[in-house]
Each structure stands twice: as C-alpha cells, then as structure tokens.
Amino acid sequence: MDTAELTPNSSEPRARDVTATLTKIYLFTYNLIQFLGFLWIFSSMTVHLVLEGKDSVYQTFRFCWTMMFICQILAVFEVINPALGLVNTAVFPVMVQVMGRNVILFVIFGSLGEMQTRIVVFFVFYLWSFIEIFRYPFYMLACIGLEWRLLTWLRFTIWAVLYPLGTLAEAVAVVQSLSIFDESGLYSIPLPAALGQSISFSFTLKLYLVVMFLGLFINMKHFISQRRRHFLRRHLKVD
C-alpha cells in the first residue's frame, strides 16, 4: 500500500488559510482605498467651503467629479463581493444603493452640464462622503478582527440619519433634471409616427423616483435589522 494514502492531507487546510488571508488583504485594501477616496472628497469640499465660502458649493462637481467617479465605479465591487461569498451580506440591498447612486452620478450629474453647477450636487456629494468616511473604516477593522466602539456607534447611528437625507437630496436632483431632459430630448425613446414622437426620459425618471423611495424602505429595513443583530451579538459576548 502506498504510504502517501496513510498520510493526512494537510494541503487543503493550508490552501484554505491562504485563500482566507488573501481575501482579508483584498477586502482591507479595497475598503482602505474607498475610505481615502471619500475622505479626500469630504476634506476637499470642506476646505473649499471654509476658504471660498458659499460660492464654492456651486463648483463642487468641478473639483470632485473625478474622485467621485472613481469611488462609484469601484463601488460595483460591493455588489460583486457578497455575490462571490467574500462578505456575509445580502446582495439586493447593496445593489439598490450602488445602482441608485450611479444613476444620480453618471446619468443626471454626468450627462447634464446644467445640473453640475447646482447646489444639490454639494449636498449629495457631502452626504455620500460623510456616510462613507465612517462606514469604510468600520469594515477595514472588521477585516482584521478589530472593533472600535466609537466608530461602530457612529457607523450604525450616523447612517440612520444621513442615508434618508441623502435619498432626499438625490430625489431633489431627479426632480430638477426632469425639465432639462424634456427640453433636450436626451435619452428619449423614439416611437413610430402613429404612436407619437418619443417617450421623454423624464417619464423613466418619474418611475425611478418611486423605485428610489422603495429602495430607501428596503435599505432602512435591512440596516435596522443589521444594527439590531450587531449590537445584540456584542451584548451577548459581554454577558
């Protein structure tokens, strides 16, 4: 009999350990990059506001759009990660949030020059970045098995206040863009002459407003459940 058959196979546990370590490194690095990106946005907006006053809020898109575009493109991985089982969270609520932000950023702000100098851009970007400078460090520490209680409290408390405000700001951006899409005809769907000229993209956005607030309900329900589960688990550990 081959003696190799009698020897325990230790390569599988070793391979699992390597995979787990690489996953932690990847997740830590991803959250670190996103944290630094949103911190740059938040800091840049704050500095411009302090130094230039209220006039700077109308120029938010001009000096923040590149970094915000990068951060939101990378945010797609927040859908991919749970889909691949790298993180233990529901895919659908994350997808709702990421896709919702990308509609606002790329379709409304990115496509319409008239929207880029409006004050609503400042509020949307500021609220997004304010949320993320607490959320990403929380996940960074979780990757290495650490928890800072103050950060945990901020992550689960500030989000509950700022996320609905962010959704409201996004809704304002959608409403303000409706007339621009109507006038420009951008993204309109052409129809046969017998049915009419075209369907304005603003009609799609009106439907999206309904979906947006439905998404707010779904995400708030998911977040409250997540918050309750996290603090209950910590309470049981203390006991």
Side-chain angles (χ1 to χ4, degrees):
M1 181 180 292
D2 190 347
T3 55
E5 295 180 10
L6 302 175
T7 304
N9 188 353
S10 60
S11 62
E12 290 184 9
R14 229 181 271 129
R16 284 197 295 268
D17 290 343
V18 171
T19 301
T21 300
L22 291 176
T23 300
K24 285 183 180 180
I25 292 172
Y26 156 69
L27 291 174
F28 183 89
T29 304
Y30 170 76
N31 286 297
L32 175 61
I33 291 171
Q34 288 291 77
F35 166 65
L36 293 175
F38 280 106
L39 181 62
W40 186 92
I41 294 168
F42 183 81
S43 301
S44 179
M45 292 176 67
T46 302
V47 169
H48 276 84
L49 183 62
V50 171
L51 296 181
E52 301 173 18
K54 64 180 182 179
D55 291 339
S56 69
V57 303
Y58 299 101
Q59 301 301 318
T60 299
F61 189 87
R62 180 177 59 82
F63 57 78
C64 284
W65 73 270
T66 302
M67 186 60 72
M68 186 61 82
F69 273 39
I70 292 171
C71 288
Q72 281 308 123
I73 289 171
L74 290 177
V76 173
F77 286 97
E78 296 198 29
V79 180
I80 297 173
N81 291 339
L84 295 178
L86 300 181
V87 294
N88 184 26
T89 189
V91 175
F92 186 68
V94 177
M95 185 174 65
V96 168
Q97 180 177 340
V98 172
M99 296 305 295
R101 283 189 178 186
N102 285 347
V103 168
I104 299 299
L105 181 62
F106 296 109
V107 177
I108 294 179
F109 294 158
S111 300
L112 302 176
E114 294 176 57
M115 289 296 300
Q116 294 170 7
T117 54
R118 298 200 178 187
I119 195 172
V120 69
V121 178
F122 173 84
F123 287 108
V124 169
F125 282 14
Y126 212 68
L127 288 167
W128 285 359
S129 58
F130 200 5
I131 291 170
E132 305 302 16
I133 59 175
F134 294 108
R135 189 169 71 93
Y136 284 114
F138 170 80
Y139 288 134
M140 283 168 53
L141 293 180
C143 288
I144 55 177
L146 297 178
E147 181 181 1
W148 181 17
R149 289 195 174 187
L150 176 60
L151 180 61
T152 300
W153 183 86
L154 288 170
R155 182 265 184 276
F156 283 105
T157 304
I158 286 180
W159 194 95
V161 177
L162 296 184
Y163 182 67
L165 290 177
T167 303
L168 182 61
E170 292 170 23
V172 170
V174 172
V175 171
Q176 290 184 353
S177 73
L178 296 178
S179 60
I180 303 175
F181 279 112
D182 282 337
E183 293 170 6
S184 66
L186 185 64
Y187 303 138
S188 293
I189 303 172
L191 295 175
L195 298 176
Q197 294 183 346
S198 63
I199 298 177
S200 174
F201 186 66
S202 65
F203 176 75
T204 304
L205 289 177
K206 289 172 185 176
L207 295 178
Y208 174 67
L209 279 173
V210 177
V211 175
M212 180 186 294
F213 285 100
L214 179 61
L216 172 63
F217 172 77
I218 292 171
N219 272 332
M220 286 302 295
K221 184 178 178 181
H222 170 71
F223 175 77
I224 291 170
S225 173
Q226 192 180 45
R227 186 180 192 276
R228 186 184 300 116
R229 188 168 59 250
H230 179 86
F231 284 111
L232 177 61
R233 185 167 57 246
R234 197 174 72 178
H235 176 72
L236 292 175
K237 284 182 180 179
V238 172
D239 291 346

